Amino acid sequence: MNSWSEEFWRLASLITLCLILGLVFNKIVLLLIMGGTLYLGWHVFNLYRLDRWLRGASHTTPPEARGIWGEVFHHFYLLQKRNNEHKKKLTAMLDRFQQLTTAMPDGTVVLNAKGGIEWFNDAAGRLLGLRHQDVGQHILNLVRQPTFVGYLEQYDFAEPLELNSPVDEKCSLQIHVVPYGRGQRLIVARDITRLQQLEQMRRDFVANVSHELRTPLTVITGYLETLTDDSDLHAMWGQSLKVMQEQSDRMQHIVEDLLLLAKLEGNNTPPPHDPVSVPSLLAGIRDDAVSLTARKGHRIKLDMDENLWLYGNEQQLRSAFSNLVFNAIRYMPDPGTVTINWHSANGGAQLDVQDTGIGIAAHHISRLTERFYRVDVGRSRETGGTGLGLAIVKHVLNRHRATLKIYSKPEQGSTFSCRFPSHAIMHHSNTANPQSVTK
Ligand code: ADP
């Protein structure tokens, strides 16, 4: 018999007993009230015992009880036991987690929704200069570098932030912020000093090698030119000399591009700030492109806002824009159209270089700005490419706080868009508005 049916029979027996005694003494109501009070009293007594047990030593064995109350005590006991085991496991896990994060070389700081420090590990204390009494303080009261303040307040943590440690200028940190829960954030600070030193060594190495190669290459190219001019030799070695000259020109281009990249990479100064007449710069590039494509039958279309100038470095911008325009021509084997469009967009300025060429498959697009990444190595070499053009474009745009977007589909042409922020543009009013020229 289960405890509920036992309880039911107990109640039924009590009522029957009260009814019989009531009939015998002719006091049915009185005896039913007395029986009910007795039954209620028993329940209240057991409730009292349960309450005492729960408040006190609920981990000890529960009080003895009969019927349904025995069952209730037993279930409570099992529940408490399960909870205690669960709690023990969680505490052990938390301990292990804390030991792990303490041993981690990366600094970890947990922030609440208001930016107050809830917890941090030893590495965070060492790298960010936090002390145990700083728990509860706002992180921005302790790490006050403007770049860190700006980064934390902008709520865009897609890219990590690099900054010098507030306690040691020579220590470079990479900061990742991971939002979680209800407005809480996890800050992970990694010491990247060694990594940056290695990166600097790599940059110096490439720059030095390129620099050392430049002089011998200039000498070789010079001699090759002299040899080509010699008509006797030209008759005998014409083809070989031509190939040698082409290859040394290619090497010279690679060296020049590597040197330019090294210069752009190693430059941590603020963005260049000279007024640059983008319209005249583009007109010059267009003229060069027209003379280059004269035989191929391409059309070069230039639409531009004549009054839209930029603050920046003219030489770097020329290099980036001409790379885009010459790529458009180089990757358009059949006669087609290159459209260069320079206009205002979203408060800033935008340069679109569109072609009707071979296009690019989607999976290559994200890698195009890597050094020496080519979709088709053979075609790139054939057209005189170095594999460094788009890497240069990306670095020049980074220096100007601009971004590059690439839209392309195979056999449907490509559009390369450079977007400049509002603070980089300059309105130069000396001519009436947009100009459109097609050659
Ligand atoms: P490369 O000197 O090889 O052209 P880039 O860095 O300029 O090097 O370009 C990288 C690769 O991107 C090229 O090899 C080419 O495959 C692809 N690419 C660049 N521009 C275009 C374009 N307008 N149309 C099609 N493919 C292009």
Side-chain angles (χ1 to χ4, degrees):
M1 211 184 334
N2 78 27
S3 46
W4 276 109
S5 26
E6 192 189 319
E7 194 57 37
F8 172 75
W9 284 115
R10 177 177 292 121
L11 184 60
S13 315
L14 183 70
I15 293 171
T16 319
L17 186 73
C18 289
L19 278 175
I20 294 170
L21 288 175
L23 280 174
V24 172
F25 296 107
N26 202 17
K27 293 226 176 343
I28 296 179
V29 177
L30 181 69
L31 273 147
L32 276 175
I33 290 173
M34 277 170 66
T37 312
L38 206 72
Y39 188 69
L40 204 67
W42 180 68
H43 279 300
V44 170
F45 172 65
N46 278 312
L47 260 177
Y48 168 75
R49 293 202 316 156
L50 175 67
D51 180 55
R52 287 268 315 260
W53 177 65
L54 285 177
R55 280 171 196 266
S58 55
H59 55 277
T60 58
T61 37
E64 280 291 320
R66 291 175 65 89
I68 190 67
W69 280 105
E71 189 95 342
V72 170
F73 281 133
H74 182 65
H75 281 308
F76 263 109
Y77 180 62
L78 289 183
L79 206 71
Q80 292 279 11
K81 216 165 127 183
R82 265 208 304 272
N83 269 349
N84 285 340
E85 274 162 17
H86 201 58
K87 217 152 93 184
K88 254 191 225 154
K89 266 191 204 152
L90 275 179
T91 317
M93 219 160 83
L94 209 69
D95 278 351
R96 271 208 308 276
F97 173 74
Q98 286 208 343
Q99 277 168 9
L100 196 94
T101 43
T102 306
M104 246 169 44
D106 291 346
T108 318
V109 185
V110 176
L111 297 185
N112 61 25
K114 288 183 180 153
I117 298 175
E118 276 188 357
W119 177 87
F120 63 88
N121 68 354
D122 292 354
R126 207 174 52 248
L127 296 172
L128 297 170
L130 305 177
R131 294 156 311 160
H132 285 292
Q133 56 266 41
D134 292 335
V135 172
Q137 287 248 37
H138 200 287
I139 184 80
L140 295 183
N141 292 339
L142 303 159
V143 184
R144 292 160 181 253
Q145 277 129 306
T147 43
F148 182 75
V149 176
Y151 182 69
L152 213 65
E153 282 175 349
Q154 71 176 357
Y155 275 85
D156 176 9
F157 307 121
E159 292 293 322
L161 169 77
E162 284 183 15
L163 85 163
N164 290 337
S165 160
V167 276
D168 180 3
E169 274 286 299
K170 286 191 206 118
C171 171
S172 302
L173 300 180
Q174 188 178 59
I175 306 282
H176 283 271
V177 177
V178 188
Y180 73 98
R182 293 185 179 179
Q184 286 117 305
R185 278 165 292 174
L186 177 77
I187 297 182
V188 180
R190 174 168 296 173
D191 184 350
I192 52 161
T193 317
R194 177 92 189 110
L195 214 70
Q196 282 201 337
Q197 279 167 354
L198 286 173
E199 181 65 11
Q200 187 58 42
M201 272 162 66
R202 182 193 63 77
R203 279 205 290 264
D204 290 349
F205 175 76
V206 174
N208 289 338
V209 169
S210 314
H211 197 74
E212 292 300 322
L213 283 176
R214 191 147 70 158
T215 320
L217 263 174
T218 316
V219 175
I220 293 172
T221 318
Y223 276 118
L224 280 172
E225 262 169 32
T226 321
L227 292 176
T228 319
D229 290 344
D230 185 322
S231 51
D232 291 346
L233 267 176
H234 194 76
M236 247 171 41
W237 295 95
Q239 187 54 27
S240 315
L241 282 173
K242 191 169 158 259
V243 174
M244 277 153 76
Q245 210 167 14
E246 272 169 15
Q247 293 305 317
S248 64
D249 281 349
R250 219 169 80 74
M251 266 171 88
Q252 238 174 347
H253 279 140
I254 294 178
V255 166
E256 294 303 330
D257 279 359
L258 280 173
L259 275 171
L260 177 58
L261 260 178
K263 209 160 107 186
L264 287 168
E265 275 186 327
N267 200 339
N268 289 325
T269 52
H273 209 255
D274 303 325
V276 179
S277 166
V278 178
S280 13
L281 200 144
L282 289 176
I285 295 174
R286 187 263 328 272
D287 290 347
D288 291 347
V290 168
S291 53
L292 194 85
T293 58
R295 281 182 293 114
K296 291 190 179 167
H298 293 324
R299 262 164 35 108
I300 315 281
K301 219 173 137 213
L302 175 61
D303 281 324
M304 57 182 174
D305 182 343
E306 283 285 336
N307 300 329
L308 196 56
W309 287 34
L310 278 179
Y311 288 111
N313 179 304
E314 183 167 346
Q315 209 187 336
Q316 291 177 9
L317 289 171
R318 174 174 291 114
S319 172
F321 295 168
S322 54
N323 262 313
L324 293 180
V325 175
F326 293 127
N327 271 357
I329 296 166
R330 285 170 46 223
Y331 295 103
M332 206 161 49
D334 303 321
T337 307
V338 177
T339 311
I340 308 165
N341 195 326
W342 172 241
H343 55 103
S344 307
N346 304 322
Q350 185 166 323
L351 174 77
D352 296 325
V353 179
Q354 190 183 12
D355 64 60
T356 53
I358 58 170
I360 308 156
H363 64 279
H364 291 295
I365 290 182
S366 62
R367 301 198 56 193
L368 291 182
T369 54
E370 286 173 23
R371 270 155 233 242
F372 297 114
Y373 187 86
R374 286 119 152 179
V375 175
D376 180 343
V377 179
R379 194 192 289 262
S380 160
R381 289 213 178 116
E382 232 171 72
T383 56
T386 60
L388 295 167
L390 291 181
I392 291 176
V393 173
K394 190 182 98 176
H395 275 91
V396 169
L397 294 185
N398 276 353
R399 290 276 303 130
H400 289 78
R401 306 281 184 265
T403 53
L404 176 69
K405 294 265 179 272
I406 305 170
Y407 309 93
S408 187
K409 278 197 179 140
E411 308 307 327
Q412 289 184 28
S414 317
T415 303
F416 288 75
S417 295
C418 312
R419 296 180 187 172
F420 292 86
S422 55
H423 57 80
I425 63 170
M426 175 187 164
H427 290 283
H428 189 268
S429 48
N430 60 1
T431 350
N433 257 332
Q435 223 199 45
S436 174
V437 197
T438 307
K439 290 206 181 177

